[in-house]
Amino acid sequence: MITRRIQITGSVLVILVATAIGISAQAKSPAPPRSITVITEPSATVWLDGVRYGVTDDKGRLTVTSVPSGTRALRVRAAGYTEVRKPLATGFRGDLIVKLGKTTDEAELAYQSAEDLTTVDREKAIGEYQRAVKLRPKYFEAYIGLARAYSDRGDIENAHKSLQSAKRLRPADPEGTVIEGRLLKDGGEEDKAIAAFKRAITQGRGFQPEAHTGLGLLYKDRAEVAGGSGNYDAEIAAYAESAKHLAVAAGQLGSSPDAMVVYQILGLIYERQKKYKEAIALYENFLRLFPNSSEAGAVESFIVQIKKQMAEPQ
């Protein structure tokens, strides 16, 4: 269960989404939601434009609801199979069959093992990423995995080394650039982090929910510091900037599980801004997208609390 005040750490950026005018604007001209059902091997992980949407069931099916407009790329990976990446036609909806072929590539198998271990045993995951890049020295995804794993461990030096290896292979890849922004933020170089996050968004042609989330959290931190020191004009400006980027992130994440955290942070900011109608609309959209989530009950209570507050004499 979540608490009313959400604690944010750097790892939220891995999990880490509306246009820059905010989710409230969506209510004025909502785009019709579309969904796709990926049909492939059981227990396969599915990404859309780099956003993880979940794992297929025992029949190899995963339905993704509320696919963001403009989604361009599908990625599917299952243990023991060669990963498949393919373009997704604009506006596509319905069933999409993705055939995976078995793999005996040791580098790919080591990478898959590392990915599975990241949330279970980080040290073993690092070892498997290292094995993958030793077997395939130009394995971009494995270097990215290493950079994230080292960052989560607090090993900034090795995170930078792994990231530089990745960026030598793909200098303009938005994922590498957003990790750079994350490392800069963790190192206290906020202005450089902002520049990196914005560069990642440009490299992603406007689509980079992790970078928008990074900017949203950075400006949220600035707002809290400004408020704590009594600089209320700076607090208001920073919260506005934070809400703008988190709204974009939420819209781009769609119904991805990662969106749940972003929605809750953004709702809290709307409440601090006294934008109660926007907060209610946001929470109601959360309940529409994630009706069966463990946080749904708490989000319902947020709506009740806000409505009571709005009913009180001002």
Side-chain angles (χ1 to χ4, degrees):
M1 292 296 293
I2 60 173
T3 61
R4 193 67 189 91
R5 291 295 178 263
I6 303 166
Q7 299 299 315
I8 307 302
T9 66
S11 62
V12 172
L13 291 174
V14 181
I15 67 172
L16 340 205
V17 133
T19 62
I21 54 178
I23 288 180
S24 60
Q26 284 189 328
K28 299 177 182 177
S29 55
R34 64 188 177 108
S35 65
I36 67 170
T37 298
V38 177
I39 304 172
T40 185
E41 298 295 329
S43 301
T45 305
V46 176
W47 290 263
L48 293 173
D49 280 351
V51 177
R52 184 182 183 277
Y53 275 82
V55 177
T56 57
D57 61 19
D58 56 3
K59 294 182 180 179
R61 299 173 67 92
L62 175 68
T63 297
V64 179
T65 59
S66 297
V67 177
S69 60
T71 300
R72 302 177 295 265
L74 173 73
R75 175 185 172 200
V76 180
R77 190 187 74 230
Y81 292 84
T82 297
E83 182 176 295
V84 168
R85 298 179 185 226
K86 60 191 300 183
L88 188 68
T90 301
F92 176 87
R93 61 182 68 218
D95 293 348
L96 181 61
I97 298 174
V98 180
K99 294 183 178 180
L100 302 181
K102 288 282 189 178
T103 184
T104 57
D105 185 314
E106 286 298 321
E108 187 165 12
L109 291 172
Y111 171 72
Q112 291 177 3
S113 174
E115 291 283 278
D116 291 339
L117 286 166
T118 51
T119 58
V120 180
D121 190 325
R122 186 187 301 124
E123 297 308 309
K124 287 184 178 179
I126 289 172
E128 288 292 83
Y129 283 130
Q130 290 172 334
R131 186 163 71 92
V133 298
K134 184 176 182 180
L135 290 165
R136 188 189 299 174
K138 294 185 178 181
Y139 205 155
F140 172 82
E141 290 81 5
Y143 283 118
I144 287 292
L146 260 178
R148 289 189 183 279
Y150 280 132
S151 175
D152 289 342
R153 190 172 75 175
D155 188 344
I156 303 302
E157 182 179 354
N158 278 316
H160 274 294
K161 288 180 180 179
S162 300
L163 178 60
Q164 289 309 308
S165 295
K167 290 181 75 66
R168 278 193 291 270
L169 296 171
R170 299 182 193 172
D173 186 272
E175 186 173 9
T177 305
V178 81
I179 294 172
E180 179 184 0
R182 177 183 173 184
L183 292 174
L184 288 166
K185 178 180 181 293
D186 290 346
E189 299 183 80
E190 289 191 353
D191 290 338
K192 290 183 179 180
I194 289 170
F197 287 139
K198 289 183 176 180
R199 190 163 62 252
I201 293 167
T202 299
Q203 291 168 343
R205 292 181 290 169
F207 188 98
Q208 229 310 320
E210 187 176 355
H212 280 295
T213 300
L215 285 166
L217 295 178
L218 190 154
Y219 282 112
K220 174 180 177 292
D221 290 344
R222 284 190 170 184
E224 291 170 350
V225 170
S229 63
N231 189 344
Y232 299 118
D233 288 342
E235 178 188 22
I236 290 169
Y239 270 137
E241 195 69 15
S242 175
K244 179 182 74 175
H245 285 289
L246 290 174
V248 176
Q252 290 183 352
L253 286 169
S255 58
S256 163
D258 291 346
M260 290 192 284
V261 174
V262 176
Y263 267 79
Q264 293 168 64
I265 301 168
L266 179 56
L268 180 59
I269 291 173
Y270 281 156
E271 291 185 55
R272 289 178 179 174
Q273 294 176 305
K274 300 188 185 303
K275 293 184 176 181
Y276 298 128
K277 291 181 179 179
E278 288 88 342
I280 290 173
L282 179 77
Y283 291 141
E284 288 176 342
N285 200 41
F286 177 100
L287 295 173
R288 181 182 65 81
L289 291 172
F290 311 107
N292 300 316
S293 70
S294 59
E295 291 88 353
V299 171
E300 288 175 348
S301 73
F302 297 168
I303 295 173
V304 172
Q305 291 172 28
I306 294 171
K307 289 182 176 178
K308 285 182 178 178
Q309 191 168 352
M310 291 174 70
E312 293 175 355
Q314 298 300 313

